[in-house]
Amino acid sequence: MASTASAPAPVRILTVCTGNICRSPVAERLLQAGLDQVMPGGFVVTSAGTRAMVGDPMQPLSGDIVRTYGGNPDGFVSRQLTSKILRGVDLVLTMTSGHRGEVLQLDASLLKRTFTIREFARMLDVLDDRADTAAGTAADSAAQRPAAADGGDPLSANTAFWRGLPARAASVRHLSLPADSSENDIIDPYRRSPDVYRQMEDELAPAIVSVLRHARVNLPA
């Protein structure tokens, strides 16, 4: 019997907040929904909390935000961040700088693959602006996309591209620094008013859009 090649590994992304019931679930479900449209089967997005409300569902107002942007909040269950969960993750996107520090306490090897989601989004925006400037024409832009090797699988090319993305993003960090370090963080709306949930949405949604745009623009040719 002829052997079958193993399926290419998807890109593994983890989003992290505190309770894993307000912020990181929204990021998880919206990133997964958007990336599934870009490349079905190419990404697996999960989430966890540094002090998780283990076993709890997503907060109702967070679920409403997910639905607003076309995601599905159903079936979500909060889980505690552990070193086991971090094992094998390609990219960690945290909701605050403090969460980033807690991730690195568990696994220092993730130093170059862990960012707050807002800082990562700004870095991707810089990369995209540079690519737009360099491209000049639609044909040039398409030529800059990651290409699958002859006979290769686009999923494999996509995974390779994303595994190299943290280093490329970090190389333009100096061009994407915020005026205030608080602009790296997403506000925690837990047990607060609907207005604070709206502020969370206003801070988180643009970052998610930037990540999804980068994925779409760099879809393997």
Side-chain angles (χ1 to χ4, degrees), residues 113-124:
R113 285 179 278 157
T114 304
F115 307 84
T116 76
I117 191 168
R118 294 180 81 183
E119 69 172 340
F120 188 68
R122 287 196 308 271
M123 293 174 193
L124 298 189

Side-chain angles (χ1 to χ4, degrees), residues 11-207:
V11 180
R12 294 183 58 195
I13 299 174
L14 180 74
T15 66
V16 176
C17 70
T18 304
N20 193 214
I21 55 174
C22 297
R23 292 169 288 179
S24 57
V26 173
E28 172 199 321
R29 292 301 172 96
L30 293 184
L31 284 172
Q32 186 72 73
L35 292 169
D36 281 347
Q37 292 182 4
V38 172
M39 176 165 280
F43 298 86
V44 173
V45 188
T46 56
S47 65
T50 58
R51 287 174 291 283
M53 312 285 282
V54 175
D56 281 8
M58 193 183 310
Q59 287 288 286
L61 289 175
S62 288
D64 291 343
I65 293 170
V66 171
R67 291 188 186 92
T68 295
Y69 290 91
N72 182 3
D74 295 345
F76 180 85
V77 176
S78 171
R79 61 181 188 160
Q80 175 65 33
L81 180 68
T82 63
S83 55
K84 182 178 180 180
I85 285 174
L86 290 168
R87 200 171 301 143
V89 170
D90 298 305
L91 177 65
V92 183
L93 298 175
T94 69
M95 299 302 110
T96 70
S97 299
H99 296 134
R100 181 176 186 271
E102 292 185 77
V103 168
L104 298 180
Q105 285 180 358
L106 285 172
D107 190 341
S109 73
L110 290 169
L111 175 64
K112 295 182 178 180
R113 285 179 278 157
T114 304
F115 307 84
T116 76
I117 191 168
R118 294 180 81 183
E119 69 172 340
F120 188 68
R122 287 196 308 271
M123 293 174 193
L124 298 189
D125 289 344
V126 171
L127 291 176
D128 289 342
D129 288 344
R130 282 184 162 187
D132 289 344
T133 300
T137 68
D140 290 337
S141 179
Q144 292 192 17
R145 292 183 177 186
D150 291 344
D153 189 285
L155 285 175
S156 297
N158 184 69
T159 297
F161 174 83
W162 277 79
R163 286 180 176 168
L165 183 55
R168 291 191 297 276
S171 73
V172 298
R173 186 191 299 270
H174 63 292
L175 300 174
S176 61
L177 297 174
D180 190 306
S181 61
S182 66
E183 294 177 40
N184 284 330
D185 296 348
I186 306 291
I187 194 169
D188 185 359
Y190 181 57
R191 290 184 172 174
R192 301 173 77 178
S193 71
D195 284 345
V196 183
Y197 276 87
R198 282 190 286 272
Q199 181 179 345
M200 176 192 76
E201 177 184 347
D202 289 343
E203 293 171 352
L204 183 54

